[in-house]
Amino acid sequence: MKRLLIFGLPALAVIAVLLFWYTDTGAEKQSQQISALEKVGDECDLIAEKAAMNLPEALPFQKLEKAGRRARVLEDCMHDRAYIENPAWAKFAQPQAQKIAQTQHLSYSEAYENLRRKGMLKFKTAKDEPVYWVMPQK
C-alpha cells in the first residue's frame, strides 16, 4: 500500500499535468489558426518587402518609387495566387477617397491610391469594412 502511494500519486499527478497541458495548448492552437488569405498575404507581403528593400529612399520621389514597387509586387503576387480586388471594397473606398481628397487637398486618384495601398495590406476581415482581396466567383 505504501508503495502504491509513493509511486502512484506522483504518476497520477504527472498524468494530470500532461493532460492539462495537452488540452490547454490544443485550444490555443485552434484560436490561432490563420485563414488562407492571411497566409498568402503574409507570404506576398514578405516578397514585396524584399523586392523593395534595397531601393534608396533619401529623396521624396524615391520614397514614392519604393512604395509603388512594393504595392506592384504585392499585387502581382496576389494575382499569381488567384486573388483579385474585391469590388465591394472599391465601392466602399470611393466615397472615402472623395472625402480625403477634399479635406487634404489631394486629387481623387491620389487619395484612392493611398487607400488602396493601405487596404491591400489588410488580410484579416474587419467589421466596418470589406476585405481588399477575394477569390473570384466561378
Side-chain angles (χ1 to χ4, degrees):
M1 184 71 173
K2 246 184 182 178
R3 214 176 208 185
L4 181 65
L5 287 174
I6 291 174
F7 295 110
L9 285 178
L12 283 174
V14 168
I15 291 171
V17 168
L18 289 175
L19 282 174
F20 174 76
W21 177 75
Y22 178 75
T23 57
D24 187 44
T25 57
E28 199 173 285
K29 286 180 184 175
Q30 289 175 354
S31 67
Q32 291 180 353
Q33 285 182 342
I34 59 173
S35 69
L37 173 62
E38 290 173 307
K39 183 179 177 189
V40 169
D42 287 342
E43 290 172 1
C44 288
D45 189 31
L46 180 64
I47 291 168
E49 185 65 36
K50 286 181 179 180
M53 184 184 314
N54 293 329
L55 292 177
E57 53 181 312
L59 301 172
F61 78 91
Q62 291 174 329
K63 290 178 184 179
L64 292 174
E65 284 180 351
K66 186 172 185 173
R69 176 174 295 178
R70 185 168 186 238
R72 184 180 48 80
V73 170
L74 177 69
E75 189 172 14
D76 289 345
C77 180
M78 293 299 284
H79 285 207
D80 290 345
R81 286 157 176 80
Y83 284 91
I84 60 169
E85 181 181 294
N86 186 356
W89 184 90
K91 288 180 185 175
F92 169 79
Q94 288 171 351
Q96 283 188 335
Q98 288 175 347
K99 281 183 187 177
I100 292 171
Q102 290 174 352
T103 58
Q104 295 181 4
H105 306 293
L106 302 172
S107 69
Y108 170 78
S109 300
E110 184 177 359
Y112 183 79
E113 184 65 21
N114 290 338
L115 279 177
R116 194 174 81 80
R117 287 182 182 175
K118 287 178 188 173
M120 67 173 43
L121 292 173
K122 295 179 186 176
F123 304 113
K124 293 183 181 180
T125 57
K127 294 178 185 176
D128 58 342
E129 72 178 87
V131 68
Y132 183 86
W133 299 108
V134 293
M135 289 290 249
Q137 301 282 330
K138 290 184 181 181

